[in-house]
Amino acid sequence: MLNAEQRQAFDRDGYLLFQQQLSETDRKTLIDRAYALIEQAELDPSHRFSTTDRAQINNDFFLGSAETVRCFFEEAAFNDAGELTQPRAQSINKIGHALHDLDEVYRELAQRDVFAEIARDLGQQKPSLYQTMVIFKQPRIGGEVVWHQDASFFYTEPSSVLTYWFALEDATLENGCLWLDPGGQTGPLRERFYRHGDELTMVALDDTPWPTDTGTAMPVKAGDLLVFHGHLPHYSAANRSTQSRMALTFHVVDGALPYATENWLQRPTLGEFFM
Ligand code: FE2
């Protein structure tokens, strides 16, 4: 599937862009299904998500999402009285994390050969999908996602995790497109997110600064797919525009390697999902 030029580009830059990997029908089906899932979500202010203030996250609800499908609300979704300040459909931060196991629409996409082939061509022996997220980045209240590396959350030795980032809608500078640090995947892993029992902690490993002033914006079209290396630093700004920026992500680990028992996301019931 990948040619020599693409492999070289991935080694050099840490990412590849695949244009138009989702058809318009695919996107509509995935988006409609996401909104249907939201309608079933329990309205509970403790079900919020934040990457800037982890103390706000309800641990039990978060940990339980490893093997279920749960809707996480935006930090700013509720007022002091615990009521939504916008309609429900515009109040969700993300849906995660076992959509590919439990939802037939997302499962069908995850099982398409093309995505396993990309992982194999980038060096994985047994591509294993651990996590699926629908990320909404809502108009006006869509939160910032601070600079991070996804291998902090999916630790293997050697590092193997690949992130698949599908644009379900156009991602622009205004609505919070991704920012990447091309070449930054050759640098060290700066942090690691540990789970001990039900305790979650982010531990600093290396003080290499984040590329806050040198990142590259990656605006992409609806249907495009970005695949990037687990050590590639990335970021997205808050969305203060009137346009949503829905994305779908897969986190794919090489199932031929031992998966760290300290990673937060464990799948004792579902087991491996080989793509
Ligand atoms: Fe990420």
Side-chain angles (χ1 to χ4, degrees):
M1 152 109 202
L2 298 187
N3 60 36
E5 199 178 320
Q6 286 173 307
R7 289 172 204 237
Q8 275 170 18
F10 185 83
D11 288 343
R12 183 187 63 228
D13 302 329
Y15 73 91
L16 285 173
L17 172 64
F18 300 91
Q19 292 179 326
Q20 298 304 295
Q21 291 298 302
L22 298 178
S23 70
E24 215 172 309
T25 307
D26 289 335
R27 290 193 293 107
K28 185 176 183 333
T29 307
L30 293 161
I31 289 171
D32 287 353
R33 184 66 189 139
Y35 282 112
L37 291 167
I38 288 172
E39 286 309 312
Q40 300 161 16
E42 191 186 344
L43 271 189
D44 183 334
S46 82
H47 296 174
R48 284 174 303 179
F49 190 75
S50 168
T51 67
T52 50
D53 183 7
R54 288 188 192 280
Q56 286 202 30
I57 299 173
N58 171 337
N59 255 12
D60 290 344
F61 186 72
F62 179 71
L63 290 172
S65 68
E67 295 193 294
T68 53
V69 174
R70 291 190 167 168
C71 299
F72 293 83
F73 289 92
E74 276 293 345
E75 256 182 287
F78 294 92
N79 63 20
D80 291 344
E83 298 153 342
L84 287 179
T85 57
Q86 307 200 96
R88 171 189 291 250
Q90 281 113 57
S91 303
I92 299 288
N93 174 290
K94 67 175 182 178
I95 307 174
H97 292 95
L99 286 151
H100 55 286
D101 299 279
L102 303 175
D103 186 88
E104 62 192 66
V105 169
Y106 287 87
R107 188 180 184 89
E108 186 276 321
L109 184 76
Q111 288 177 322
R112 292 186 192 173
D113 291 342
V114 57
F115 303 126
E117 278 172 32
I118 290 171
R120 282 194 205 94
D121 286 356
L122 294 176
Q124 291 195 9
Q125 287 181 53
K126 294 168 81 173
S128 178
L129 178 51
Y130 268 76
Q131 169 174 280
T132 297
M133 293 192 286
V134 178
I135 303 168
F136 285 77
K137 195 72 102 175
Q138 298 282 1
R140 293 175 291 277
I141 61 165
E144 173 188 18
V145 177
V146 297
W147 282 98
H148 66 280
Q149 295 158 298
D150 288 350
S152 296
F153 302 91
F154 295 94
Y155 192 84
T156 59
E157 280 184 28
S159 180
S160 66
V161 65
L162 292 169
T163 302
Y164 289 57
W165 198 97
F166 297 92
L168 295 179
E169 299 176 309
D170 290 346
T172 66
L173 276 175
E174 291 72 33
N175 70 3
C177 68
L178 273 188
W179 288 68
L180 305 177
D181 177 32
Q185 80 286 354
T186 58
L189 190 63
R190 292 163 176 78
E191 302 174 312
R192 188 167 165 198
F193 194 57
Y194 279 95
R195 174 180 184 170
H196 294 291
D198 287 352
E199 288 270 299
L200 298 171
T201 43
M202 187 65 96
V203 174
L205 303 178
D206 188 285
D207 60 6
T208 300
W210 295 108
T212 45
D213 298 321
T214 54
T216 301
M218 293 295 299
V220 292
K221 288 285 175 202
D224 288 353
L225 165 65
L226 279 165
V227 175
F228 55 91
H229 189 287
H231 279 211
L232 186 73
H234 56 286
Y235 156 87
S236 65
N239 182 4
R240 299 292 174 245
S241 80
T242 56
Q243 302 297 313
S244 60
R245 191 232 62 185
M246 278 180 82
L248 166 67
T249 63
F250 292 163
H251 286 96
V252 182
V253 167
D254 190 346
L257 298 170
Y259 179 79
T261 54
E262 300 88 358
N263 287 334
W264 84 265
L265 196 161
Q266 301 291 330
R267 298 166 53 91
T269 306
L270 293 171
E272 298 262 11
F273 184 101
F274 292 117
M275 295 167 79

